[in-house]
Every structure is written in C-alpha cells, then in structure tokens.
Amino acid sequence: MNNYTDEMKKRLRRLEGQVRGVLRLMEEEKPCKEVVAQLSAVRNAADKAIAQIVAENLQQCILEEQAAGRDTGKLVQEAVELLVKSR
C-alpha cells in the first residue's frame, strides 16, 4: 500500500506553482539566467518530493515486512535504486 500524505500533495502543488512561474517568465521573455535559476529550484523541489515519498513509503513497507517476519534488505535496495534512477 502506498502512503501519499497531505504534506506530499502540498509539496507537489507548490512545485506545480513553480513550474507555472517558469512558464510565466518565459512568456515575459525574461533572461535565460532567471529561467534556468527557477528551473533549478523546480528540480530541487522535485528531488525533495521524491526523497520524501520514497522514505515514507519505505518506512511503512519495512514495518509491514518486519511484522510478517520477513527480510527488509530487498526493500531498502529497491528504494536506493528508485532514488538513483530518479537522478
């Protein structure tokens, strides 16, 4: 089961607003430097959202696996792979 909290959704709504802001900068023909700076902020926010989603869902999965008496090593490896692929 995936766990998508209200905080995660709020974070993504802020990210959505940042993307709209970048588009507005482009429409206003702002300098490349400003657009790239804002896109970097979007990327940083997306990275943080990914990390939060993976971490919170990993925690829940580990608790479920431990309760069932199963090994959690594979879950951790999958989480690491998700984070690596996201970059």
Side-chain angles (χ1 to χ4, degrees):
M1 180 176 94
N2 290 303
N3 180 28
Y4 302 118
T5 64
D6 287 341
E7 175 58 34
M8 289 176 194
K9 293 171 190 172
K10 188 167 115 178
R11 184 182 293 263
L12 289 178
R13 285 186 197 98
R14 280 195 306 266
L15 205 151
E16 181 182 33
Q18 286 179 294
V19 170
R20 280 194 303 270
V22 172
L23 287 169
R24 188 170 45 256
L25 290 175
M26 295 171 103
E27 289 167 358
E28 294 171 359
E29 298 183 6
K30 296 293 183 182
C32 169
K33 186 175 180 179
E34 287 183 42
V35 172
V36 171
Q38 289 305 309
L39 280 173
S40 292
V42 168
R43 180 174 53 197
N44 186 39
D47 286 344
K48 287 181 180 180
I50 289 167
Q52 180 185 24
I53 290 168
V54 170
E56 291 196 22
N57 282 284
L58 176 61
Q59 181 181 20
Q60 183 62 37
C61 290
I62 285 175
L63 292 174
E64 290 170 7
E65 290 295 298
Q66 286 175 336
R70 293 188 290 259
D71 180 37
T72 58
K74 185 177 178 183
L75 288 173
V76 173
Q77 182 60 38
E78 289 174 355
V80 169
E81 288 172 10
L82 268 176
L83 291 172
V84 169
K85 287 179 183 176
S86 72
R87 284 301 292 160

